[in-house]
Amino acid sequence: MAVSVAREHWSSRFAFLMAAIGSAVGLGNIWRFPFITGENGGGAFILIYVFTTTVIALPILIAEIMLGRMGGQSPIQSMMLIVRKHKKSVLWVVLAWGGTLGAFVILSYYSVIGGWALKYTLLAVTDSFANLDPAASGTLFGNFTADPVSLIGWHTAFMAINVGIVVWGLHKGIERAVVFLMPLLFLLLIGMVVYAVSTPGFDQAVDFLFTVDFSKVTSNTFLVAIGQGFFSVSVALGSMMTYGAYLDEDINIPKSAVIIVIADTSVALLAGLAIFPLVFSFALEPSAGPGLIFVTVPIAFAQMEAGYLVGTMFFILLSVAAVTSAISLLEPAVAYIEEAFVLSRRTTAILVGTACWMVGIATAFSFNDWSSFYPLASSGVLVDKTIFDVLDFVATSWVQPGVGILMAVFVGWALSQETVAEALNVDDPTALWFRFWTFLIRVVCPLAVLFVFAGAVWPELVASLMPSSGG
Ligand code: PHE
């Protein structure tokens, strides 16, 4: 049985916001969002993304931070305390287990991709993109990912940085890192956008990102947008719940959540505005998929005047974003093990980090020696997916929406309105925003997540419900 640990609190609202925005802003914004937007038709996808994130991810984020603050401990221990205090079924604790394990699994492969960011930072600093033509860029990336030793080496470096921060705890580790790294990230990003504005491809990029062509929208666009929103906002994995546990009573959670979502979405859009002008200026392919920033964008760095500087800035930015998210993926499990086994933070962070590192090795091999090993091939589901694909799919398409729906239903239906109003310091429960939020988490969020599940199980049925499914 876990014991309560006296938990430190954030030293200021600013520190909390930097940590939470640091969690939200990550590979999801700078690596995933641009290529997913490229693959899903640009402007129409962005519009749907902004909409679904506002009405689905944001309300759940408020609920999640609130649960964290109510419990004041790791997600698992917090849920145990909450169900005991409010006399709810202990089965609800499954949402915290799901989140904590999901975060652990995501971190195992997030660290491998984070390692790519570190490797590419080194390549940029050593001017290795100079004279890179498209074929050579593909070869560079191909050779790198084909070499498991190299991937594992960079994965090790990334995980070590992450553990190195978490070992120092909330104030000396996480806070000190984020209050320095997040402003740096914003500066780098703005610098890149300012540069991008001066390139010839800027107008075309704005057109691509903000011209809405509804003929490109299918039910799948919604499914992808909802999934991307969950991932990008860091919702339903216990990360934000853990950060909520360290939050003072007087901080306004809904307001903070709105700031986090606005910051996260702005960074994704700014990343698009930084990257696509380069892609268009050099007539490269916007729908290049996961290789967009590792294969396509370096070609632009090779050809542009300030390529060395901009390329270096870009990959430092990417690495910073990845590290500040990884911290929040490690923290839920570390906080729990600390409580459950009464171990020191140092020992716990090293133990959990090492375990996660070991799982990550399977992902490193998924890009080379095991690239045609499909672990579920004989089971009839996910038959053509590598270990990396399976982990990513299960964590982001099943665990995250599943935990999200449980959080929404628990806060919306299981807890009483008075409990929730009190936890959020709402003086007037008849206030319009509070009623609207309650409606969103009670009805809209669960239905939307069910729609995501239905889309995964019966793709044809969901597609046929869409007016423009032929487009
Ligand atoms: N939001 C992070 C990103 O966009 C990933 C993440 C998901 C981090 C869930 C923590 C929890 O990269």
Side-chain angles (χ1 to χ4, degrees):
M1 166 65 62
V3 293
S4 296
V5 169
R7 290 272 169 217
E8 295 176 299
H9 275 203
W10 300 107
S11 40
S12 63
R13 187 175 90 123
F14 177 74
F16 163 67
L17 285 177
M18 287 303 107
I21 294 171
S23 168
V25 171
L27 296 170
N29 304 59
I30 299 165
W31 170 60
R32 216 159 174 257
F33 181 81
F35 85 74
I36 288 194
T37 302
E39 287 177 340
N40 288 278
F45 175 78
I46 291 188
L47 192 72
I48 292 169
Y49 173 80
V50 171
F51 175 73
T52 54
T53 301
T54 311
V55 299
I56 301 164
L58 172 62
I60 300 181
L61 178 64
I62 297 174
E64 176 169 355
I65 300 176
M66 182 199 95
L67 287 174
R69 185 163 74 183
M70 284 175 76
Q73 299 280 306
S74 71
I76 294 171
Q77 176 74 346
S78 285
M79 279 307 292
M80 306 232 268
L81 295 171
I82 295 169
V83 296
R84 211 171 299 147
K85 178 162 175 208
H86 297 281
K87 307 206 169 42
K88 301 293 164 203
S89 163
V90 71
L91 286 177
W92 286 110
V93 180
V94 73
L95 74 84
W97 275 103
T100 306
L101 289 172
F104 180 87
V105 165
I106 290 185
L107 179 58
S108 76
Y109 65 78
Y110 203 87
S111 170
V112 175
I113 317 274
W116 299 2
L118 295 181
K119 158 83 179 180
Y120 268 68
T121 305
L122 183 71
L123 287 177
V125 170
T126 53
D127 208 7
S128 312
F129 304 138
N131 309 318
L132 199 68
D133 61 34
S137 185
T139 310
L140 180 69
F141 185 66
N143 287 346
F144 170 53
T145 49
D147 175 11
V149 176
S150 180
L151 291 194
I152 292 171
W154 288 102
H155 162 50
T156 311
F158 185 88
M159 192 65 91
I161 295 174
N162 188 12
V163 170
I165 295 171
V166 172
V167 156
W168 288 97
L170 188 67
H171 290 148
K172 286 203 223 123
I174 300 178
E175 271 191 16
R176 241 185 357 182
V178 295
V179 299
F180 164 68
L181 292 175
M182 291 313 290
L184 173 71
L185 183 148
F186 291 123
L187 278 179
L188 289 172
L189 186 58
I190 291 181
M192 283 207 56
V193 175
V194 168
Y195 177 83
V197 173
S198 71
T199 61
F202 185 72
D203 291 344
Q204 206 183 337
V206 170
D207 225 33
F208 175 72
L209 290 172
F210 301 110
T211 306
V212 178
D213 176 359
F214 278 110
S215 72
K216 293 193 175 137
V217 176
T218 64
S219 63
N220 196 51
T221 319
F222 281 88
L223 303 181
V224 174
I226 294 173
Q228 171 66 15
F230 269 55
F231 187 79
S232 190
V233 174
S234 295
V235 86
L237 280 175
S239 294
M240 291 296 191
M241 201 167 155
T242 314
Y243 281 1
Y246 310 149
L247 196 58
D248 281 340
E249 285 308 322
D250 59 340
I251 306 276
N252 185 323
I253 291 178
K255 219 186 252 171
S256 305
V258 169
I259 295 174
I260 295 165
V261 170
I262 290 179
D264 184 61
T265 307
S266 310
V267 170
L269 294 176
L270 287 172
L273 280 178
I275 291 169
F276 285 113
L278 309 184
V279 172
F280 289 121
S281 295
F282 298 100
L284 302 168
E285 196 40 67
S287 57
L292 181 67
I293 64 169
F294 291 105
V295 179
T296 308
V297 176
I299 304 167
F301 295 146
Q303 299 182 24
M304 61 204 233
E305 246 167 71
Y308 176 76
L309 186 69
V310 179
T312 304
M313 274 169 52
F314 178 71
F315 284 108
I316 293 179
L317 166 78
L318 184 69
S319 305
V320 167
V323 167
T324 54
S325 295
I327 301 172
S328 75
L329 288 165
L330 183 58
E331 184 68 16
V334 168
Y336 175 64
I337 307 269
E338 248 183 326
E339 291 157 0
F341 301 98
V342 207
L343 290 174
S344 75
R345 171 157 281 261
R346 195 187 180 79
T347 312
T348 319
I350 294 173
L351 269 179
V352 178
T354 308
C356 199
W357 174 83
M358 284 162 65
V359 178
I361 289 177
T363 288
F365 277 112
S366 299
F367 295 99
N368 37 68
D369 296 9
W370 298 352
S371 62
S372 32
F373 169 55
Y374 304 140
L376 298 181
S378 56
S379 72
V381 285
L382 310 181
V383 283
D384 56 350
K385 294 198 183 288
T386 63
I387 298 185
F388 162 66
D389 297 331
V390 170
L391 294 177
D392 181 44
F393 187 85
V394 170
T396 60
S397 303
W398 289 103
V399 177
Q400 229 177 339
V403 169
I405 206 172
L406 289 176
M407 282 179 173
V409 172
F410 182 70
V411 171
W413 296 99
L415 292 178
S416 73
Q417 283 267 68
E418 299 76 63
T419 306
V420 173
E422 194 188 310
L424 290 176
N425 305 329
V426 176
D427 306 324
D428 174 16
T430 61
L432 193 62
W433 77 265
F434 185 67
R435 290 197 342 233
F436 186 54
W437 172 74
T438 307
F439 170 71
L440 289 175
I441 56 159
R442 280 190 165 178
V443 181
V444 177
C445 297
L447 286 179
V449 176
L450 285 179
F451 169 69
V452 171
F453 284 139
V457 185
W458 304 289
E460 295 81 19
L461 176 72
V462 172
S464 68
L465 297 175
M466 297 295 296
S468 61
S469 55

